């Protein structure tokens, strides 16, 4: 199993550009999430999904869109990038039981100029 | 929302030393996990421990849910233990898998 994969690893955008961060998992997990990590901070939840076709907002959803058309994929879209969105983005998946752990992808380092 | 506080924020050790990291949380939780973020940024789950004590090699963790804290013990530390240790909780009544993270403890182990 590849686990949770993310692409790209690094990205530089100009203010106002849009892009999609890709996330995929091959563990057949129902739950998937996107977090951002800023310097000196823990991870903060952006959006999450409890299954295909079902998404909801986390703590810091503004400026981001998600959709979940398949169990495997959970892309994160930046609609109009801003310097405040410079961060490291982590995707995670979870089987959806109360005793399960979360599995994290390797992260995408995004810089918005 | 729930508050998660970790201490100390930074810890510097000589190889072979022992250490204790603490996580306090402000409300009841369904789930508590400890993660290690290595110097390359990868997050690795160490323990799922909403209550009780678990051990895995040189690492062990204890959560006292009634007093709303968890401890991570690292014994005989090695340079490979360096990185950031995060505590993350899932509040009781929250959606499964929705985690709130502390700010982490940055651990540096010198040879």
């Amino acid at each position: 199993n590849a686990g949770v994969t993310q692409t790209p690893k690094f990205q530089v955008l100009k203010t106002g550009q849009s892009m999609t961060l890709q996330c995929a998992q091959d563990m057949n997990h129902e739950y998937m999430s996107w977090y951002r990590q800023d310097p000196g901070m823990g991870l903060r939840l952006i959006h999450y999904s409890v299954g295909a076709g079902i998404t909801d907002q986390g703590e810091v959803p503004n400026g981001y869109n998600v959709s979940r058309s398949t169990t495997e994929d959970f892309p994160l879209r930046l609609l109009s990038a801003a310097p405040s969105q410079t961060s490291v983005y982590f995707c995670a998946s979870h089987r959806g039981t109360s005793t399960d752990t979360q599995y994290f992808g390797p992260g995408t380092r995004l810089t918005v100029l | 929302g729930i508050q998660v506080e970790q201490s100390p924020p930074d810890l510097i050790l000589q190889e072979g030393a022992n250490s204790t990291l603490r996580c306090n949380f402000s409300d009841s939780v369904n789930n508590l996990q400890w993660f290690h973020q290595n110097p390359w940024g990868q997050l690795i789950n160490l323990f799922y421990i909403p209550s009780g004590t678990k051990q895995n090699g040189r690492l062990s963790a204890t959560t006292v849910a009634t007093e709303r804290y968890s401890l991570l013990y690292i014994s005989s530390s090695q340079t490979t233990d360096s990185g950031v240790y995060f505590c993350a909780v899932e509040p009781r009544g929250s959606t499964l898998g929705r985690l709130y993270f502390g700010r982490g403890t940055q651990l540096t182990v010198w040879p």
Side-chain angles (χ1 to χ4, degrees), chain B residues 60-105:
Chain B
S60 64
T62 295
T63 297
V64 183
T66 53
E67 298 187 22
R68 299 183 183 165
Y69 73 88
S70 183
L71 302 173
L72 178 69
Y73 305 96
I74 304 174
S75 64
S76 303
S77 57
Q78 300 176 357
T79 56
T80 52
D81 295 330
S82 296
V84 184
Y85 290 80
F86 289 104
C87 168
V89 303
E90 177 191 299
R92 186 156 294 167
S94 174
T95 302
L96 284 176
R98 182 169 176 161
L99 293 177
Y100 291 81
F101 281 75
R103 291 180 177 234
T105 292

Side-chain angles (χ1 to χ4, degrees), chain A residues 17-44:
Chain A
Q17 287 185 314
S18 62
M19 79 159 295
T20 299
L21 308 185
Q22 301 292 344
C23 174
Q25 53 91 11
D26 61 359
M27 297 174 282
N28 202 33
H29 286 173
E30 287 297 318
Y31 286 61
M32 296 185 74
S33 307
W34 276 102
Y35 292 85
R36 61 177 287 173
Q37 183 179 23
D38 300 303
M41 305 278 288
L43 280 69
R44 292 181 293 169

Side-chain angles (χ1 to χ4, degrees), chain A residues 16-79:
Chain A
Q17 287 185 314
S18 62
M19 79 159 295
T20 299
L21 308 185
Q22 301 292 344
C23 174
Q25 53 91 11
D26 61 359
M27 297 174 282
N28 202 33
H29 286 173
E30 287 297 318
Y31 286 61
M32 296 185 74
S33 307
W34 276 102
Y35 292 85
R36 61 177 287 173
Q37 183 179 23
D38 300 303
M41 305 278 288
L43 280 69
R44 292 181 293 169
L45 183 65
I46 304 171
H47 285 286
Y48 63 97
S49 169
V50 300
I54 307 170
T55 64
D56 206 347
Q57 296 181 351
E59 299 174 73
V60 288
N62 292 342
Y64 307 95
N65 262 1
V66 292
S67 60
R68 184 104 179 265
S69 55
T70 67
T71 299
E72 295 78 20
D73 301 299
F74 190 42
L76 178 72
R77 296 182 189 83
L78 278 70
L79 308 172

Side-chain angles (χ1 to χ4, degrees), chain B residues 46 48-49 59 69 73 85 93 106 110:
Chain B
L46 298 175
Y48 163 82
I49 186 164
L59 303 181
Y69 73 88
Y73 305 96
Y85 290 80
Q106 173 80 56
W110 293 97

Side-chain angles (χ1 to χ4, degrees), chain B residues 10-84:
Chain B
D10 297 280
L11 190 55
I12 300 174
L13 301 174
Q14 197 81 31
E15 206 168 26
N18 302 328
S19 60
T20 301
L21 283 58
R22 187 176 180 102
C23 172
N24 292 333
F25 44 96
S26 62
D27 209 342
S28 300
V29 299
N30 289 330
N31 181 350
L32 185 146
Q33 297 181 37
W34 283 97
F35 292 90
H36 175 221
Q37 187 171 39
N38 65 25
W40 295 271
Q42 180 69 44
L43 280 158
I44 305 296
N45 180 272
L46 298 175
F47 293 103
Y48 163 82
I49 186 164
S51 63
T53 297
K54 289 187 177 179
Q55 180 152 8
N56 184 4
R58 295 181 296 103
L59 303 181
S60 64
T62 295
T63 297
V64 183
T66 53
E67 298 187 22
R68 299 183 183 165
Y69 73 88
S70 183
L71 302 173
L72 178 69
Y73 305 96
I74 304 174
S75 64
S76 303
S77 57
Q78 300 176 357
T79 56
T80 52
D81 295 330
S82 296
V84 184

